[in-house]
Amino acid sequence: MYAQLVETGAQRVRGTDELEGQERVFQERIDAGVKIEPKDWMPEGYRKTLVRQISQHAHSEIVGQLPEGNWITRAPTLKRKAILLAKVQDEAGHGLYLYSAAETLGVSRDALIAQLHAGKAKYSSIFNYPTLTWADIGAIGWLVDGSAIINQIPLCRCSYGPYARAMVRVCKEESFHQRQGYDLLLALCNGTPEQKAMAQDALNRWWWPALMMFGPSDADSVNSAQSTQWGIKLFSNDALRQKMVDQTVPQAEYLGLTIPDPDLKWNEERGHYDFGAIDWDEFFNVIKGNGPCNRERLATRVQAYEDGEWFREGLNAHADKQAARGAAAA
Ligand code: ACO
């Protein structure tokens, strides 16, 4: 059973009782926990919201390969290189499942990729930060994939069947990603003082951007109310962010690292950690395209796509030939 009427500072939506006709029947199905499938009737807004979110998610997986791919040739051991290669390949796979889920809503992967390459589509803010040292690879696994899991486990129960099912496998793989990042940092923290300092520096730079991954505060989240009513969002941006902080602080303590937040403090009454103010100006600046690596990331993606043109042409020519042979034989 999903929430029926939700209101945030940014949006108010109509409750089931206020809806009529097909829209009401649709909402009643969602309220009853029935999954929506591609051929079912759905409001145009529901379809658009899913295409928006799933495609942003797919783009994030694809662009998310770049900061880590940057370190494959420089991984310090064969074992770490093999792990990183597997992880980066997994991210490509996640992108493909997600583009496929979006295609069930009547939009083509080519159209979505064209939007990304034209700079018209969003992808996660986190991938616009640079990976300066090897410890950043650990911090991405621990904090970025850790946050991704917290955000994505509820999506396995979201109302749209193809998205929910794609998320099951994605979350299993994300768990391995989170684990390998933590293991990498554990090795650095048990190493030389210089290695431990490198791990601390990575935490200092990735902590706040990782908290921003969950999106604007609930009061400023323009899509949350409607997405919650439609069972796309099961927990609010702030609730998931709080979960990430509560879960990560003890993990940092185990590593012997300090979270770079002087206001971080256990609040006995709330049963949660209080934490400092997020720099939302930085967040909105990054999602507008002005983060440290936005232009570089987009240019690399476009270049990779153009470099792959000959290969796509070859595949298409082969597919056409096979189809022609099949038609001739029939
Ligand atoms: N980076 C970039 N844009 C963001 C981010 C972020 N971290 N957080 C929010 N936004 C954008 C939203 O896309 C929205 O923009 P739009 O309306 O132009 O599309 C705007 O900021 C306002 O935010 P919300 O109203 O809160 O948007 P929404 O309800 O979509 O919630 C959230 C944002 C939580 C990220 C949601 O889209 C989601 O759960 N997405 C699926 C998970 C995902 O995409 N993860 C990607 C990173 S994980 C990984 O790849 C390893």
Side-chain angles (χ1 to χ4, degrees):
M1 182 82 176
Y2 300 117
Q4 289 212 347
L5 176 67
V6 191
E7 192 165 354
T8 68
Q11 193 183 37
R12 181 195 180 277
V13 294
R14 288 174 298 157
T16 309
D17 296 349
E18 297 170 77
L19 299 172
E20 286 171 8
Q22 278 183 310
E23 244 187 299
R24 182 163 178 157
V25 174
F26 173 83
Q27 187 61 47
E28 281 169 352
R29 287 186 70 196
I30 293 207
D31 295 343
V34 177
K35 289 264 181 283
I36 305 301
E37 298 297 338
K39 288 189 176 153
D40 294 342
W41 184 89
M42 60 184 80
E44 185 54 17
Y46 179 80
R47 196 187 70 80
K48 278 193 178 152
T49 298
L50 281 169
V51 169
R52 177 184 67 76
Q53 177 166 323
I54 300 174
S55 63
Q56 286 176 3
H57 194 166
H59 299 328
S60 303
E61 302 284 356
I62 297 297
V63 177
Q65 294 179 101
L66 300 176
E68 292 181 288
N70 178 30
W71 276 89
I72 290 173
T73 54
R74 293 176 287 164
T77 65
L78 180 61
K79 181 181 137 193
R80 293 286 176 201
K81 190 196 281 272
I83 293 171
L84 186 56
L85 255 178
K87 178 193 189 300
V88 172
Q89 281 182 354
D90 284 352
E91 306 298 2
H94 298 176
L96 297 185
Y97 317 147
L98 286 160
Y99 284 127
S100 298
E103 284 187 312
T104 65
L105 292 153
V107 57
S108 74
R109 190 196 304 182
D110 285 346
L112 297 174
I113 289 176
Q115 284 169 14
L116 173 70
H117 291 174
K120 290 183 188 152
K122 288 196 174 80
Y123 57 87
S124 183
S125 50
I126 194 74
F127 300 120
N128 293 303
Y129 291 85
T131 40
L132 304 179
T133 72
W134 173 246
D136 289 12
I137 300 306
I140 290 183
W142 175 35
L143 301 173
V144 175
D145 294 292
S147 297
I149 296 171
I150 291 171
N151 166 269
Q152 289 168 25
I153 291 278
L155 289 174
C156 299
R157 290 187 287 123
C158 79
S159 60
Y160 189 57
Y163 192 24
R165 290 189 288 273
M167 280 298 111
V168 174
R169 178 157 171 192
V170 169
C171 285
K172 283 185 184 158
E173 292 175 353
E174 293 295 0
S175 300
F176 150 63
H177 299 170
Q178 199 263 357
R179 198 57 209 262
Q180 64 82 37
Y182 194 73
D183 181 71
L184 192 168
L185 286 178
L186 195 57
L188 290 180
C189 290
N190 289 330
T192 64
E194 288 80 5
Q195 286 174 317
K196 187 157 185 191
M198 202 195 279
Q200 180 64 56
D201 171 62
L203 173 57
N204 294 349
R205 285 180 291 105
W206 288 92
W207 175 251
W208 292 104
L211 293 193
M212 293 174 196
M213 281 177 71
F214 294 91
S217 70
D218 293 350
D220 292 324
S221 168
V222 288
N223 302 300
S224 276
Q226 185 63 77
S227 288
T228 305
Q229 193 194 29
W230 278 334
I232 297 169
K233 216 171 216 179
L234 271 60
F235 297 94
S236 79
N237 297 0
D238 285 335
L240 293 176
R241 189 170 9 251
Q242 180 72 60
K243 197 171 168 61
M244 186 276 197
V245 174
D246 292 346
Q247 180 177 301
T248 310
V249 173
Q251 296 171 353
E253 283 167 1
Y254 187 75
L255 291 172
L257 297 178
T258 309
I259 304 262
D261 178 358
D263 297 322
L264 185 78
K265 198 167 171 253
W266 178 252
N267 183 326
E268 196 61 53
E269 226 167 83
R270 290 200 313 122
H272 293 290
Y273 281 94
D274 290 335
F275 54 95
I278 291 175
D279 183 349
W280 291 116
D281 287 344
E282 175 180 324
F283 169 77
F284 285 113
N285 204 31
V286 172
I287 68 172
K288 268 190 220 136
N290 302 318
C293 300
N294 294 59
R295 285 172 192 81
E296 182 189 327
R297 296 284 183 251
L298 214 53
T300 309
R301 268 308 316 152
V302 171
Q303 184 68 50
Y305 191 75
E306 286 172 0
D307 289 349
E309 181 72 37
W310 67 272
F311 188 67
R312 288 192 301 279
E313 272 176 12
L315 282 179
N316 283 335
H318 180 69
D320 289 347
K321 210 169 164 187
Q322 291 290 94
R325 268 197 200 139

